[in-house]
Amino acid sequence: MNMITLENVTKDYILEDHNVVKALRGVTMMVEKGEFLVILGRSGSGKTTLLNLAAGLTRPTTGKVRLDGTDLWSMKDAEQSRLRSQKFGFIFQFPSLLPTLNVLENTALPVIFKEKGNGHERAYQRAEELLEMVGLDDKGIAYPRQLSAGQQQRVVIARALMNKPEILLADEPTSDLDEETEQEIVELFGKIHRETGTTIVMVTHSSQLTGFGTRTISMARGEVI
C-alpha cells in the first residue's frame, strides 16, 4: 500500500533577479506503508525539497502529491494541518529544543499543546516511555544545554513520536554529529522501525547510512537517478 505518492512533481524557486532555480524536475516516486526509505544525495540535489513536498509543507509547481490516495493540495489549509499533525512526525537537521523546558517537557510538548487537564498526565507518561525507548530515561529533568548533541537528537526523535505518527520524516538527522554518534542515531531509527512499524523516510548525504533502510533512492540535480 502506497502512503505517499508523488506524480511528475516539479518545484521551481524564482530568485530576486528573476532567475529560476529548478529544485525538482518531474519526480515520480512512492513511499510504501511500513518501509524505511533512505533518500541519498549531495547538498542541493533536491532531497529536502522532496521531503517537504511529501509532507505538504511546500506546494509543488506542477504535479500531484497524494497521501493515502488524497491530493494534499485539494484540501483546505485547516484540513491539511490537521492531517499533518495526525500522520507525520518531523525530525529536522538541528534539534530545536526549547531551552527553558526540561527533557520530559520538551518531549511531551506536541500533546501538551492539544490536551488539557488529565491529558497532561497521560502525555508525560508517554513521554517517559519514549525517553526509555531512546535510552534517555534518566535525563527527564535535565535541560537541553546539559545534553550532548546526540542526546539532544534523541529527545527530538522521542518528541516526534509523541502523537504516534504513521510516518516519520527525518531531514539530515545526523549531519551535525560525529561518526560514532551518527551510527547510534541511525541504529535507533532502525529500532523504532522494527518495534513500532512506523514508516520512515530519511534524507541524508552520507552513503554510509544507506544500509540501515529497507530501500534507498538517490537524487541529483532535482531528479531521482
Side-chain angles (χ1 to χ4, degrees), residues 10-49:
T10 68
K11 181 62 184 178
D12 298 341
Y13 292 100
I14 301 176
L15 306 180
E16 290 183 2
D17 60 4
H18 302 295
N19 284 328
V20 177
V21 174
K22 294 187 175 297
L24 286 186
R25 303 168 182 262
V27 171
T28 295
M29 62 161 283
M30 293 168 288
V31 179
E32 297 181 2
K33 182 177 177 62
E35 75 171 327
F36 183 169
L37 176 63
V38 177
I39 302 175
L40 176 67
R42 294 181 178 179
S43 178
S45 63
K47 59 189 186 299
T48 294
T49 300

Side-chain angles (χ1 to χ4, degrees), residues 3-6 9 24 27 29-31 37 39 46-60 64-68 70 72-73 80 83-84 87-88 90 167-169 201 203:
M3 299 195 74
I4 302 171
T5 305
L6 278 70
V9 168
L24 286 186
V27 171
M29 62 161 283
M30 293 168 288
V31 179
L37 176 63
I39 302 175
K47 59 189 186 299
T48 294
T49 300
L50 181 65
L51 200 69
N52 289 336
L53 283 161
L57 296 172
T58 301
R59 180 187 287 271
K64 299 287 187 182
V65 180
R66 301 183 189 277
L67 178 62
D68 291 338
T70 301
L72 282 175
W73 294 100
Q80 199 183 84
L83 189 66
R84 270 199 303 270
K87 290 279 188 179
F88 293 107
F90 296 95
I167 307 167
L168 200 57
L169 301 178
V201 183
V203 304

Side-chain angles (χ1 to χ4, degrees), residues 67-85:
L67 178 62
D68 291 338
T70 301
D71 183 353
L72 282 175
W73 294 100
S74 68
M75 305 173 70
K76 295 180 179 179
D77 288 347
E79 293 175 328
Q80 199 183 84
S81 296
R82 183 168 58 252
L83 189 66
R84 270 199 303 270
S85 69

Side-chain angles (χ1 to χ4, degrees), residues 176-191:
D176 200 37
L177 305 176
D178 61 71
E179 188 173 333
E180 181 179 350
T181 308
E182 176 184 70
Q183 175 102 357
E184 292 173 356
I185 293 298
V186 179
E187 287 177 353
L188 176 58
F189 276 107
K191 175 185 176 183

